[in-house]
Amino acid sequence: MSINPFPKQKDIVQAVINGMKKAKDNYTMWTRDELYLSNETDNFLSIHIAQEIAKLDNTPEIFLDATISDILKCSLKKRHSFQSFMKKKSISADILSLTLDERFEHETHNDSISRVIMSIKNGLRNIQDEYTNEIIKMCKMLERDKKDDSSLDYAIFAFYLDLSNTARKKTKKRMNEIQLSFDNTVKKYKNLSSYFICEDINIIKNVGEFSIGTYIIETNFNKDIS
């Protein structure tokens, strides 16, 4: 168990949701566009989420676009094994939207401890290989035989979905399909479980509808959703 205070999982998940909502509110206020936040970049969402996480007690260290190799260096029990870990699990060099590390006074440049990884996507409307691969990548990073093999506790895949009023398949059905697909992927990995939070579907008359999805993948060693 870490001696460094770290926010509860439920508080971080709520901060992610709050950040997504704030991004939507700001986008609409600045552009007068009621729907298409998806015209913005993924980082527009990531920055708003980071701002909300920064408001939490025991604020973690927050990194945008950290490389997978750096995250593994800061989470694996044997820090120098990240290359063999990536090779064994067929993880290619890439980045993740947000990483949360424990906050403490560092003694060296190489003593960080990563706890949470996130992938943030804007304009997700259907299951695509790009999104499934993000789930697979995070599962591979979290999966292990023993808890102390890694400091990573859970991963969050958060996304904004918007549709025009002409879309034949509506948000609720798409959200159900997204969750089912992700669930089927996570089931392939040991010592992992998941849950999905879908915010209310907002319908704008004669324009379209939008919602926010938050998919959490956690290790079975250290569940903390209370």
Side-chain angles (χ1 to χ4, degrees):
M1 191 75 177
S2 170
I3 62 172
N4 300 303
F6 199 80
K8 288 185 176 295
Q9 182 172 324
K10 66 176 184 178
D11 295 333
I12 289 177
V13 171
Q14 189 59 55
V16 171
I17 294 170
N18 292 345
M20 302 272 278
K21 289 180 176 179
K22 187 69 173 178
K24 174 63 178 67
D25 290 344
N26 282 343
Y27 177 77
T28 296
M29 180 179 67
W30 296 336
T31 67
R32 306 314 305 165
D33 186 332
E34 295 181 294
L35 181 64
Y36 291 110
L37 172 62
S38 58
N39 289 330
E40 281 292 344
T41 64
D42 295 343
N43 266 352
F44 186 81
L45 298 179
S46 297
I47 290 169
H48 280 81
I49 290 170
Q51 289 173 335
E52 292 301 312
I53 293 171
K55 298 176 183 178
L56 297 175
D57 293 336
N58 303 319
T59 307
E61 295 182 1
I62 305 169
F63 296 94
L64 273 73
D65 296 336
T67 65
I68 287 179
S69 58
D70 280 345
I71 296 168
L72 292 173
K73 287 178 190 176
C74 297
S75 59
L76 292 176
K77 184 176 182 180
K78 297 180 179 179
R79 289 175 176 255
H80 299 296
S81 67
F82 73 95
Q83 289 177 317
S84 59
F85 182 93
M86 292 176 70
K87 183 176 181 180
K88 179 181 178 181
K89 297 207 172 191
S90 300
I91 302 174
S92 58
D94 203 349
I95 61 172
L96 283 172
S97 306
L98 284 171
T99 307
L100 306 183
D101 288 8
E102 291 186 11
R103 183 176 293 276
F104 57 91
E105 186 174 341
H106 295 277
E107 296 181 1
T108 73
H109 70 286
N110 195 34
D111 61 354
S112 297
I113 301 174
S114 297
R115 296 283 299 275
V116 182
I117 51 178
M118 300 187 199
S119 181
I120 315 297
K121 297 297 179 182
N122 196 1
L124 189 157
R125 298 186 179 97
N126 298 290
I127 287 297
Q128 297 178 18
D129 288 346
E130 172 191 354
Y131 310 130
T132 303
N133 289 339
E134 286 292 290
I135 299 296
I136 291 171
K137 177 168 58 184
M138 293 192 292
C139 285
K140 287 179 177 180
M141 294 174 71
L142 287 172
E143 183 188 41
R144 69 249 199 197
D145 293 321
K146 296 182 293 185
K147 176 182 177 180
D148 63 1
D149 286 340
S150 171
S151 61
L152 292 178
D153 293 327
Y154 58 95
I156 298 174
F157 184 94
F159 61 93
Y160 176 83
L161 183 155
D162 55 25
L163 299 170
S164 74
N165 63 335
T166 60
R168 302 178 77 177
K169 186 191 296 184
K170 300 303 181 184
T171 299
K172 182 174 176 56
K173 183 172 178 59
R174 291 171 190 259
M175 286 291 194
N176 290 339
E177 291 176 352
I178 290 166
Q179 179 181 7
L180 179 60
S181 175
F182 288 174
D183 284 349
N184 287 336
T185 298
V186 174
K187 287 176 183 176
K188 298 175 183 177
Y189 296 87
K190 60 185 175 183
N191 296 323
L192 298 181
S193 56
S194 60
Y195 62 99
F196 182 56
I197 300 173
C198 179
E199 291 298 292
D200 292 340
I201 297 170
N202 298 269
I203 299 175
I204 306 170
K205 189 176 180 180
N206 299 323
V207 177
E209 55 190 45
F210 68 89
S211 187
I212 291 165
T214 314
Y215 193 83
I216 298 91
I217 308 165
E218 55 189 352
T219 70
N220 293 333
F221 301 115
N222 190 30
K223 289 188 180 182
D224 175 25
I225 59 174
S226 60

